[in-house]
Amino acid sequence: MAKILSLCIADDITYLVEQFNLLLANHFGGRPGRSMTDSLHLLVKFITNAWASKESYVSLLLLDVKAAVHSITISRLMHNFKKARIPHKYVRWYRECLTNRTTTLSFDNFTSDPFNIQEGVNQGCPLSPLAFIFYNSDLLCIPSPNPRHGKVGLGFINDIAFAARAKLFEEANRQLTNIMERLNGALSWSEAHRAEFELDKTALICLSRKRESNCMDPKKTNPIKRPPITICGHIIQPSYSHKFLGIIIDKELRFKQHAAQALTKGTTYTLACNRMTRTTKGIKGKFMQKLFNSVILPKMLYTADIWCSDILTKGRDKKTGGRGARGFTSQMMRVQRMTSLLIMGRRTTTSDITNIHANLLPFQQNLRKICHHSALHMITLPESHPLHKGLNTAYNYCSKRDFQKCKQYPSLLHNLANTFQLNPAKSETILPVCHNTKWIPDVKISIASKTEEAYYEDQVAMKTSGHIQTDLQ
């Protein structure tokens, strides 16, 4: 019963947040209509826009809050709720839920006496993600909310990213140091909210595709040197790549490491399913097909619209996805071929024939299907979403050039616009929250018990008002 009540309160607060914009637009996670891939699209858009400008060096600082759920101070959380103008009845109800809590510890045939819990929120409660979003909402206000000012902050529950662009990496690092160490900065927020950053897990990525000449061999070039950053005496060396929100971001945004990891993951899951499909005993081929479509393919192509958007169109040059793109696609096709052979009972033939007999889409079509679904989701975003304006700008840029040419540093939005040519202005806008939770639909439902009664009600409804007739079986 407690979770049901918490879910009702969470729905009410979510409606208020989305209806009146009580949180920053760059705060993703735990909110309807704002997915993890949306935050990555916004981050990549900021980086590619910086590469195309004079301030072409971007420093990315990835932070992680230690023990996010258990480090919340109740008094500070209630203060943030009130500052965001959440109704007092919800704040008072949630405060009562977080007081007079007890728990016990049980391990190795030992059970402790009940003891009180003073801080933290209940893990597994529907209100906990929303509570932590309000708790660290001030953290994203430290950099400028407008990315045009050269700094941006992104939040997904307890994963925080700060990015700054400048003409040199040293200047971009100084901006990140200022965000962390200045008065009322990120470290001040951490001390006031008792939310400690794990500096050992903090990663710095200096993003640029520019190279410098090799002094030993003028025909060769080397990557530009990336300086470290110092935060409170802790030196953070720049990383070649780092995982953020489930995707590996490298210093040149090539996503080669993530593609290799996705290939390994797909191969591992396929080999694991191989043990269950024996010729004499094992699962049937139709169940193996369902495992591939519901488990292997989503695991392998997770966030494919981020790291696969530039290889949707096969080409013979580097700009349209050349040998590297075809090589990666062929490696992924091998995983699908292994699965199709398992479905067919290991009968060897060409890949096109195996896909037909196994009732599987070609791998390139599966890839396009996932990216097309992501593009359809983004063109329905409302104006309050931070990707709405960028998506319209990308479509207008590509449509003026007949979807043939693209920028030197295109964002993922440009790649999707060139590939699918979906016009956001001609699509329906889907709001994250359409109605208040107390809204009652003004539709009358009538189910007749006999055919004659249904015919009579239909004739009456046609004369009086609009109606929709369905046949339920």
Side-chain angles (χ1 to χ4, degrees):
M1 181 60 71
K3 284 195 173 182
I4 295 177
L5 291 175
S6 299
L7 183 60
C8 295
I9 299 297
D11 290 342
D12 288 348
I13 297 178
T14 300
Y15 172 78
L16 296 175
V17 168
E18 303 301 333
Q19 186 70 18
F20 301 104
N21 298 323
L22 302 183
L23 289 173
L24 286 179
N26 293 350
H27 219 316
F28 300 85
R31 300 174 63 181
R34 297 174 187 268
S35 63
M36 181 270 301
T37 55
D38 292 345
S39 62
L40 292 174
H41 275 289
L42 185 62
L43 178 61
V44 174
K45 176 179 173 295
F46 175 82
I47 296 170
T48 53
N49 288 346
W51 287 351
S53 65
K54 296 181 180 180
E55 299 176 334
S56 57
Y57 296 90
V58 180
S59 292
L60 178 64
L61 190 64
L62 305 176
L63 303 171
D64 186 26
V65 180
K66 183 178 180 181
V69 177
H70 305 290
S71 63
I72 294 180
T73 305
I74 306 301
S75 58
R76 174 66 66 170
L77 175 62
M78 298 301 122
H79 170 74
N80 288 1
F81 273 134
K82 294 178 181 178
K83 186 171 66 173
R85 294 170 294 178
I86 299 298
H88 181 67
K89 58 181 180 180
Y90 297 134
V91 179
R92 182 177 55 193
W93 184 89
Y94 195 40
R95 185 193 294 114
E96 293 295 329
C97 291
L98 298 178
T99 55
N100 299 326
R101 294 175 296 164
T102 60
T103 188
T104 58
L105 297 178
S106 299
F107 56 90
D108 296 339
N109 297 326
F110 168 78
T111 302
S112 67
D113 296 330
F115 59 91
N116 295 328
I117 301 176
Q118 302 295 336
E119 305 296 343
V121 296
N122 300 326
Q123 196 164 3
C125 176
L127 268 170
S128 297
L130 196 59
F132 193 80
I133 290 176
F134 276 97
Y135 192 69
N136 67 354
S137 59
D138 294 339
L139 185 60
L140 296 183
C141 296
I142 297 174
S144 175
N146 191 351
R148 293 184 177 180
H149 296 166
K151 292 172 286 196
V152 68
L154 297 175
F156 193 91
I157 311 295
N158 63 326
D159 292 321
I160 305 297
F162 290 137
R165 66 184 186 188
K167 296 181 179 180
L168 294 173
F169 279 130
E170 290 80 3
E171 184 179 350
N173 289 351
R174 282 195 294 269
Q175 295 182 23
L176 293 178
T177 304
N178 183 36
I179 291 174
M180 296 294 295
E181 295 182 348
R182 73 185 184 194
L183 185 64
N184 297 327
L187 294 179
S188 299
W189 175 92
S190 174
E191 183 179 357
H193 290 74
R194 298 181 184 178
E196 181 181 357
F197 292 120
E198 296 188 67
L199 293 180
D200 296 335
K201 295 183 179 180
T202 300
L204 172 68
I205 304 178
C206 298
L207 298 130
S208 178
R209 293 182 182 176
K210 292 187 176 181
R211 303 176 68 88
E212 58 185 5
S213 59
N214 191 341
C215 58
M216 303 298 296
D217 189 354
K219 297 182 180 180
K220 296 183 179 180
T221 58
N222 297 328
I224 295 178
K225 294 182 180 180
R226 278 128 168 108
I229 188 174
T230 303
I231 299 176
C232 288
H234 187 85
I235 300 177
I236 302 174
Q237 297 291 339
S239 303
Y240 182 84
S241 60
H242 191 78
K243 180 177 285 189
F244 179 66
L245 298 181
I247 188 170
I248 300 177
I249 301 176
D250 58 276
K251 63 181 181 181
E252 293 184 355
L253 284 186
R254 305 290 186 183
F255 299 111
K256 294 181 180 179
Q257 292 80 10
H258 188 84
Q261 186 191 54
L263 181 62
T264 303
K265 190 179 296 184
T267 306
T268 303
Y269 275 89
T270 304
L271 294 177
C273 293
N274 184 25
R275 304 174 185 176
M276 299 184 292
T277 55
R278 302 295 181 183
T279 305
T280 57
K281 56 181 179 179
I283 63 175
K284 296 181 179 181
K286 61 179 181 179
F287 298 122
M288 183 61 203
Q289 177 200 5
K290 292 183 178 180
L291 279 176
F292 177 77
N293 291 326
S294 60
V295 179
I296 299 177
L297 198 63
K299 288 287 185 180
M300 186 170 57
L301 295 182
Y302 173 71
T303 63
D305 55 309
I306 302 293
W307 53 278
C308 287
S309 62
D310 57 343
I311 63 173
L312 292 175
T313 304
K314 289 186 178 181
R316 297 191 177 277
D317 56 350
K318 294 182 179 180
K319 293 184 178 180
T320 57
R323 286 176 292 179
R326 295 199 306 274
F328 165 72
T329 306
S330 63
Q331 291 176 0
M332 288 289 191
M333 288 173 61
R334 294 174 190 171
V335 177
Q336 181 164 332
R337 176 176 171 80
M338 292 169 56
T339 307
S340 59
L341 292 177
L342 293 177
I343 296 173
M344 294 176 56
R346 298 175 176 82
R347 297 181 181 89
T348 303
T349 182
T350 60
S351 298
D352 295 338
I353 300 300
T354 56
N355 288 332
I356 294 174
H357 285 282
N359 196 19
L360 296 177
L361 287 174
F363 177 77
Q364 196 74 12
Q365 295 300 320
N366 280 322
L367 189 60
R368 290 180 64 89
K369 181 180 177 181
I370 294 175
C371 295
H372 186 259
H373 183 272
S374 176
L376 286 176
H377 156 71
M378 286 190 290
I379 65 174
T380 60
L381 295 175
E383 294 184 3
S384 59
H385 198 282
L387 283 179
H388 176 80
K389 185 177 180 180
L391 191 63
N392 282 274
T393 304
Y395 176 81
N396 294 333
Y397 179 90
C398 297
S399 62
K400 290 179 181 179
R401 291 156 180 83
D402 297 329
F403 302 100
Q404 299 296 327
K405 299 180 180 180
C406 201
K407 301 169 62 177
Q408 182 182 2
Y409 297 109
S411 66
L412 304 178
L413 304 180
H414 288 84
N415 293 333
L416 294 176
N418 269 330
T419 303
F420 300 110
Q421 304 178 13
L422 298 175
N423 189 356
K426 296 183 179 179
S427 64
E428 177 189 5
T429 300
I430 300 178
L431 299 176
V433 178
C434 298
H435 299 286
N436 192 350
T437 55
K438 300 178 178 59
W439 174 75
I440 300 176
D442 54 352
V443 178
K444 182 180 179 181
I445 301 176
S446 177
I447 302 176
S449 59
K450 297 181 181 180
T451 307
E452 294 78 9
E453 295 180 3
Y455 178 77
Y456 175 75
E457 292 179 358
D458 182 61
Q459 295 298 322
V460 174
M462 289 179 62
K463 298 178 181 180
T464 56
S465 60
H467 69 290
I468 300 176
Q469 183 178 0
T470 59
D471 187 10
L472 301 177
Q473 295 181 355

